[in-house]
Amino acid sequence: MQCSHCHLEFDAKALLKVSIDGRDEYFCCRGCEGVYKLLHTEGLEDFYNKLGENTLEPIKDSKQSLDSFDSIPFFERYVREKDTYCELALVLERIHCIACVWLNEKILAKTRGIIKVNINYTSNKATLLYNPKIIKISEIIQAIRSIGYNAHAYDPHLQESYAQKEKREYYIKMVVGIFCVMNIMWIAVAQYAGYFSGITPQMRNVLNFASFVLATPVLFFSGIVFWRSAISALKHRTPNMDLLVISGASLTYLYSIYASFKGGETYFESVAMIVTFVLIGKFLEVRGKKSAVDSLDKLNAQMPLSVRVVEHKSNREEIKEVRVESVKVGDVVQVLAGDRVALDGILLSENALCDESAINGESLPLQKSKKDSIYSGALALEMPFLYRVSKTYKESLMMQIVSLVEDALNARPKIQEMANCITRYFSAVVLSLAFGAFLYWEFVLNVAFDRALMVMVSVIIIACPCALALATPIASLVGLGEALKYRILFKEASFLETIAKANVLVLDKTGTLTEGKLKVQEMRKFGKLDDSVLVAMLEQSAHPISRGVLAFIKANSKKVEKVALDKITQKNARGILAQCNGSVYLGGNLELLREQGVRIPQLDESDCSVFYFAKDTELIAQFFLQDSIKQDAKAVISKLQKKGISCVLLSGDHLRACESVAKELGIVEFYGNQSPLDKAEFIDKLHQQEKIVVMVGDGINDSIALGKSDIGIAMGGGMDLAISVSDVVVLDDSIQGVLESFKLGRRTYRFILQNLGLSLLYNALTIPLAMAGFVIPLIAALSMSLSSLLVVGNSLRIKGE
C-alpha cells in the first residue's frame, strides 16, 4: 500500500490511518501526514496530480540548526543587496521532477516577505528576492524543509559537480547503447540472411530472444532521458522529437515481442539504433554546454580569500589575516609583491607598481603614486604597499565585473534550432498519420489486427526522425572536427549556426590584432652606447619594457660581453640604477633621470612607450617601443570584409594608438578609451540595430562584451575568464582562426540545411508508401538506416570543401 504523500510502498500494517475530509488516507510517518495536511490547507492539492507516478523521500525531521543561516558571515558571503530587498541563491535538495519545482515555487511565493521566486529545474538553483525586515533566511529554509525538501547556499563547486554527474550519466548510457547496438547488429545480419535464405524456427527464436535481451536495456536504460522528456511533453500537450522517438521505439519493441510469439519478423535492432543514434546527438549537446558557474568560479579562484589588515594597537602595528567579506571601508590593507588586490582603495604608500592587465587587458604595468586609486584584480609587482579600503568586497570593481558577466550570460540571445521548429509539428503529424493509417486498415479495409498494426509501426519507423535528428548534430560534429584541425574550439555545436548568420565583427586591439609584446621600433643615440652594461642591467628586470629593449639589443649586437655590475638597485617602478667601474648607469623613465640630475635635451613627444639609458649625468640612448600587429591581421580583415562582415575596432587603449592600427588594417570604424561597460553598451546598441554580433577579445575587460555578444571568440593566450565566457576559443592565438571560424560556420550551416532538406524529402516520399501498405517494418527499418547514412555521408562532404 502507498503512502498518500510520498507514494512509497509500505506494508499496510506499518501505515498510519488518518481520516481527512471524510476519507481515509495512509501515511508512513507523521512528517508525511503533516505535509499532506499543509498542502490541502494551502489549496495545493494539484501537486499530487503533477507528481504522477514519481515518488518522494519520507519527511525527515532535520536536527540541523538554522542559526548559521542568519549569521553575519553567511549574509556577507551569499546575499546580494538590491535597494531595500535582498537576493539569495539556494540549491534545493530532493528535487525529483517538475512537480517538486512547482510545489517549492508555490509554497515560497505564498510565504510572507518573499517578493520573487525563480527555480531552475536543470540546476536545482532557486533565486529568491526577499524583504529582510519581514523574513529571515532561516525562516525561508524552514519553509522549504516543512514540505519535505532541504536547501543550502548556492556554491559554484556544488553546481560543477552536478554538471559533471550529468555528463557522466550520459556517457554511461551512451556506452551501454553503443555496446548493445554493435552486438545486436551481428544478430540482425543473421536474421536478414535467414529471411531470404531460410532459417529454422528454433534458431529464429534464439536470435529473437538474444535481440530482446540487448534491446531492452537500450530502450529503458539508455533511453530514460527520452522517456522523461516524452512524458513531460504529454503532460503539457507539446509533442516533441523525444515523444516521436519513444513512440516509434516502444511500438516497434512491443510489436517485435508480439511477432516473436507469432513467428513474424522482429525489429529489435531498429529499437536499439533509434535510441542510440539520437542519444549520441544528445550527448554531444550536453558535453558541449558551458556553465556560467564554471567561468565565474575560475575568476573567483584568482581572488584571495583573505587579506592582511594592518591594525594599530598600543603604539605598534599588528597584521591580521581577515576574510575579504569582513573587511570594512577605512581598513588599511598590506599587499605583498606577487599578491592580487582583493578590494578597491586609495594608495597610502609613496609608490606602487600594479599589473592591471586582468582589468583593462593592456600589457603595461602602471606606476601608482600616493592617493592614486587601487583596483581589485590588480597584481602587485616588485614591492609591497599599503592602501586604505574605499569599497567593500561586493562593491569592488572585480566583483562588479563578476556580477555583470553573470547577467550577460543569463541574457544571452537564444537562437532556436531549425530542426526543433520542424519536429514540433512533425512529431504530432506523424503520430496522427500513423494512428489514422491503423484505423483505416483496421476498420475500413477490415484487415487483421496484426496487419493494421504492422502498417502503423511501418509508418512510425520509416518516419522516425533519426535522419532529422542527425541532420544538425552529425554535420556539426564534422564541422567541430574540422575546426579542431585549425586549433579552433567551439564550445557548443549550435554556435556554428550562429556564427554563420553573423554580420558584425567587433575586435579588441591588444592581444587580438597585435602580438601583446612590446618591441623596439626606433632607437636614438645621444652618445656611445655600452651594450654590455645595458644588457647586464636589463637582465635583472622582468618588466615588459625591459624585456623588449633586451631582445632588441641582443638581436642587433654582434657580440655582447658579460659585465659584472658593482651594484644594482630597482628604483620604485621608475627603472634601474647600477654602478660599474666607477660610473652610475640609469635605465628607465624620464622621472628617474630627473631625480638623478641627468641633463635632458629637447625631446619629441611620442605615442610610444619610451625607455631612456644614461651614464652619470649624460643621456646616452632613447628607445621607442610599440606593440606589433599580427602578421596575418591585415589579410584576414580584408577577407572578412569581402564576405560582407563589418569590422569594428573597440579598445581600451588611447585613441591615437587605435587609429594607427585601424588605418594599417583597413578598418574604418574604431573606438578608443573603451571601458568594459562601454564595450558592453556598444554591443547592446548593435543588437538594437538587429545586428548579429561576434566579439573577439582576450582580457577580463572584454568578458562582459563577450557574454553579451551572440558569439564570443577568445584568443587562446588571453585571460581565463575571457576564455571561459566565450563561445569559441582560438587555441593557437592566431587571428587566422577567426577567419576560419566564420568559414567553417557558414559551410557547416549550409550542409545542415541540406541534411534537413534530404530528411524531409525522404519522409515526404516514404510515408505515403508506408501508409499504403507497400512497406513492411523490415524494409522501413532498412530505409530508416539508409536515410541516416545518407545524412552522415552528406555531412562528411564538409571535410572535402
Side-chain angles (χ1 to χ4, degrees):
M1 183 176 289
Q2 286 187 343
C3 170
S4 295
H5 172 69
C6 66
H7 288 185
L8 292 175
E9 293 286 346
F10 293 91
D11 187 284
K13 296 179 181 178
L15 294 174
L16 302 170
K17 182 179 177 182
V18 181
S19 179
I20 299 177
D21 295 334
R23 65 180 184 276
D24 291 337
E25 301 291 349
Y26 297 87
F27 303 100
C28 62
C29 62
R30 292 295 181 188
C32 284
E33 177 190 348
V35 173
Y36 186 89
K37 290 179 177 178
L38 173 64
L39 296 184
H40 280 72
T41 302
E42 295 290 338
L44 300 174
E45 303 93 332
D46 196 39
F47 166 71
Y48 298 104
N49 296 327
K50 295 179 179 293
L51 185 64
E53 298 299 321
N54 294 299
T55 60
L56 305 172
E57 293 181 25
I59 306 303
K60 298 175 181 177
D61 184 18
S62 177
K63 302 297 183 182
Q64 182 184 355
S65 173
L66 296 173
D67 294 341
S68 61
F69 291 102
D70 295 327
S71 64
I72 294 177
F74 183 93
F75 185 90
E76 292 176 344
R77 186 172 181 83
Y78 297 113
V79 179
R80 183 192 298 183
E81 294 184 76
K82 287 191 171 183
D83 297 328
T84 58
Y85 299 128
C86 291
E87 186 177 81
L88 171 67
L90 299 171
V91 176
L92 298 179
E93 299 175 10
R94 303 174 188 167
I95 296 292
H96 298 281
C97 59
I98 196 67
C100 299
V101 173
W102 177 87
L103 176 60
N104 277 274
E105 284 187 338
K106 290 292 183 182
I107 288 293
L108 290 171
K110 284 176 172 284
T111 303
R112 183 173 177 269
I114 296 181
I115 312 302
K116 184 179 178 181
V117 184
N118 180 37
I119 301 177
N120 187 318
Y121 176 48
T122 303
S123 61
N124 296 342
K125 179 184 177 183
T127 304
L128 301 96
L129 188 69
Y130 71 97
N131 188 337
K133 296 179 180 179
I134 299 176
I135 189 171
K136 296 188 292 185
I137 298 175
S138 60
E139 293 172 338
I140 296 174
I141 302 298
Q142 184 57 45
I144 295 170
R145 288 183 181 179
S146 69
I147 53 173
Y149 300 88
N150 204 350
H152 55 262
Y154 169 74
D155 190 314
H157 295 289
L158 292 174
Q159 287 303 100
E160 184 176 354
S161 67
Y162 289 146
Q164 292 298 328
K165 181 181 178 182
E166 182 186 21
K167 291 179 183 178
R168 189 162 53 249
E169 288 177 353
Y170 264 97
Y171 184 72
I172 293 170
K173 289 178 174 63
M174 191 180 66
V175 168
V176 170
I178 293 173
F179 173 80
C180 291
V181 165
M182 291 174 64
N183 286 278
I184 205 171
M185 288 312 296
W186 284 109
I187 298 172
V189 169
Q191 288 178 314
Y192 292 155
Y195 179 80
F196 294 106
S197 61
I199 188 172
T200 63
Q202 293 81 5
M203 183 54 67
R204 181 189 289 115
N205 291 336
V206 170
L207 294 177
N208 285 343
F209 181 74
S211 298
F212 165 77
V213 170
L214 289 168
T216 299
V218 177
L219 179 61
F220 296 104
F221 176 72
S222 298
I224 188 65
V225 64
F226 303 117
W227 281 104
R228 289 170 181 162
S229 178
I231 291 170
S232 177
L234 284 174
K235 285 182 178 179
H236 296 91
R237 298 178 182 178
T238 54
N240 58 10
M241 187 188 297
D242 292 340
L243 179 60
L244 194 54
V245 169
I246 285 300
S247 298
S250 299
L251 284 173
T252 307
Y253 179 80
L254 294 172
Y255 175 77
S256 297
I257 295 175
Y258 169 79
S260 298
F261 291 101
K262 295 287 289 185
E265 295 301 325
T266 61
Y267 309 99
F268 290 113
E269 73 284 351
S270 298
V271 175
M273 286 176 61
I274 291 167
V275 174
T276 303
F277 277 16
V278 184
L279 182 65
I280 291 173
K282 285 266 188 183
F283 175 75
L284 292 174
E285 293 177 13
V286 170
R287 189 187 66 172
K289 283 184 178 178
K290 66 176 175 52
S291 170
V293 174
D294 295 335
S295 60
L296 297 177
D297 186 42
K298 287 182 180 178
L299 177 57
N300 284 322
Q302 295 182 26
M303 302 299 291
L305 298 175
S306 61
V307 294
R308 296 162 60 88
V309 175
V310 179
E311 295 182 352
H312 294 274
K313 292 184 178 180
S314 303
N315 298 323
R316 64 184 180 87
E317 286 187 354
E318 183 178 322
I319 297 177
K320 293 175 60 178
E321 286 283 338
V322 179
R323 290 188 62 84
V324 289
E325 295 88 357
S326 301
V327 179
K328 299 175 183 177
V329 174
D331 286 351
V332 176
V333 174
Q334 181 188 56
V335 182
L336 302 178
D339 286 351
R340 197 170 289 277
V341 178
L343 304 99
D344 293 356
I346 304 298
L347 184 63
L348 297 179
S349 300
E350 291 298 325
N351 294 284
L353 185 65
C354 294
D355 177 1
E356 294 185 354
S357 60
I359 304 167
N360 56 31
E362 305 304 326
S363 57
L364 289 177
L366 296 178
Q367 179 185 343
K368 301 280 187 177
S369 300
K370 191 172 183 178
K371 295 185 179 181
D372 281 352
S373 295
I374 299 294
Y375 297 107
S376 61
L379 189 67
L381 301 176
E382 295 188 359
M383 71 193 82
F385 60 84
L386 298 175
Y387 76 99
R388 189 179 303 280
V389 175
S390 60
K391 292 182 179 179
T392 63
Y393 182 64
K394 289 183 179 180
E395 295 172 344
S396 293
L397 177 62
M398 187 58 74
M399 296 315 295
Q400 285 185 330
I401 291 177
V402 169
S403 176
L404 288 170
V405 170
E406 187 175 29
D407 292 341
L409 287 168
N410 290 336
R412 178 180 300 280
K414 298 186 182 297
I415 299 179
Q416 193 170 15
E417 298 255 357
M418 184 177 296
N420 289 338
C421 292
I422 296 170
T423 52
R424 188 187 341 172
Y425 305 103
F426 179 81
S427 303
V429 169
V430 168
L431 287 172
S432 300
L433 290 174
F435 186 64
F438 172 79
L439 294 176
Y440 180 80
W441 280 82
E442 175 72 13
F443 297 106
V444 178
L445 299 181
N446 293 317
V447 300
F449 172 80
D450 57 346
R451 172 64 174 148
L453 181 62
M454 188 186 306
V455 171
M456 182 172 70
V457 170
S458 295
V459 173
I460 292 178
I461 293 175
I462 208 164
C464 180
C466 210
L468 192 60
L470 288 171
T472 299
I474 291 297
S476 298
L477 180 61
V478 177
L480 295 175
E482 284 296 289
L484 285 174
K485 292 181 181 179
Y486 293 98
R487 298 189 60 77
I488 303 167
L489 173 64
F490 282 81
K491 294 186 178 180
E492 285 189 25
S494 61
F495 297 148
L496 285 162
E497 175 189 346
T498 308
I499 200 171
K501 299 177 181 178
N503 47 29
V504 177
L505 175 64
V506 178
L507 302 115
D508 179 43
K509 180 178 74 69
T510 305
T512 302
L513 295 173
T514 64
E515 297 288 351
K517 299 176 181 177
L518 288 166
K519 292 184 179 179
V520 175
Q521 302 298 313
E522 182 184 355
M523 179 182 70
R524 296 177 185 175
K525 291 185 179 180
F526 301 93
K528 184 179 178 182
L529 179 63
D530 193 334
D531 293 349
S532 300
V533 175
L534 179 56
V535 167
M537 292 171 61
L538 294 175
E539 286 179 340
Q540 305 301 313
S541 173
H543 197 284
I545 290 180
S546 299
R547 292 197 297 266
V549 175
L550 179 61
F552 176 80
I553 296 296
K554 288 185 175 180
N556 291 275
S557 298
K558 294 182 180 179
K559 187 178 180 180
V560 178
E561 297 180 358
K562 289 189 176 183
V563 174
L565 302 175
D566 299 328
K567 185 180 179 182
I568 185 166
T569 306
Q570 298 279 350
K571 298 296 290 184
N572 289 338
R574 292 187 290 279
I576 309 169
L577 186 149
Q579 294 181 7
C580 183
N581 299 326
S583 296
V584 176
Y585 292 87
L586 306 168
N589 57 23
L590 275 175
E591 188 175 347
L592 175 66
L593 270 59
R594 291 192 181 104
E595 282 182 0
Q596 301 299 319
V598 176
R599 294 188 298 271
I600 302 172
Q602 184 69 34
L603 300 173
D604 296 332
E605 291 186 3
S606 174
D607 293 332
C608 300
S609 300
V610 184
F611 178 86
Y612 300 91
F613 181 60
K615 179 180 179 181
D616 295 325
T617 59
E618 180 185 358
L619 179 63
I620 302 297
Q622 185 182 19
F623 298 86
F624 298 86
L625 299 94
Q626 277 188 341
D627 200 356
S628 58
I629 294 174
K630 290 184 177 179
Q631 188 174 2
D632 52 355
K634 187 173 183 178
V636 167
I637 296 298
S638 176
K639 289 178 182 178
L640 287 168
Q641 290 171 335
K642 288 179 181 178
K643 290 180 178 291
I645 299 167
S646 301
C647 296
V648 180
L649 176 60
L650 209 63
S651 175
D653 210 342
H654 56 82
L655 188 59
R656 290 183 65 181
C658 293
E659 182 179 9
S660 174
V661 171
K663 284 184 177 179
E664 186 169 345
L665 297 178
I667 298 175
V668 178
E669 190 175 358
F670 57 89
Y671 302 90
N673 301 311
Q674 297 290 299
S675 70
L677 292 177
D678 292 333
K679 292 183 178 182
E681 288 175 3
F682 185 81
I683 299 296
D684 286 336
K685 288 178 182 177
L686 291 175
H687 281 146
Q688 290 171 7
Q689 300 169 22
E690 298 184 351
K691 302 290 186 181
I692 299 177
V693 185
V694 175
M695 168 76 188
V696 186
D698 69 334
I700 284 182
N701 62 313
D702 303 317
S703 58
I704 304 172
L706 286 170
K708 278 185 171 288
S709 59
D710 298 282
I711 290 290
I713 301 179
M715 309 306 287
M719 289 294 297
D720 285 345
L721 179 69
I723 294 173
S724 298
V725 302
S726 66
D727 307 305
V728 182
V729 180
V730 180
L731 298 173
D732 62 1
D733 207 28
S734 168
I735 190 67
Q736 182 70 29
V738 177
L739 174 62
E740 293 299 333
S741 298
F742 276 90
K743 290 168 66 176
L744 279 168
R746 293 187 173 187
R747 189 192 315 166
T748 303
Y749 184 59
R750 187 170 72 250
F751 276 91
I752 288 174
L753 294 178
Q754 290 178 11
N755 289 344
L756 290 170
L758 285 171
S759 60
L760 290 173
L761 179 63
Y762 156 81
N763 281 295
L765 294 175
T766 56
I767 289 176
L769 292 175
M771 292 179 68
F774 295 121
V775 182
I776 63 172
L778 171 65
I779 302 302
L782 290 172
S783 178
M784 182 272 294
S785 300
L786 287 174
S787 69
S788 299
L789 291 174
L790 182 63
V791 167
V792 172
N794 187 57
S795 299
L796 291 174
R797 292 175 54 225
I798 295 174
K799 293 183 177 182
E801 288 205 355

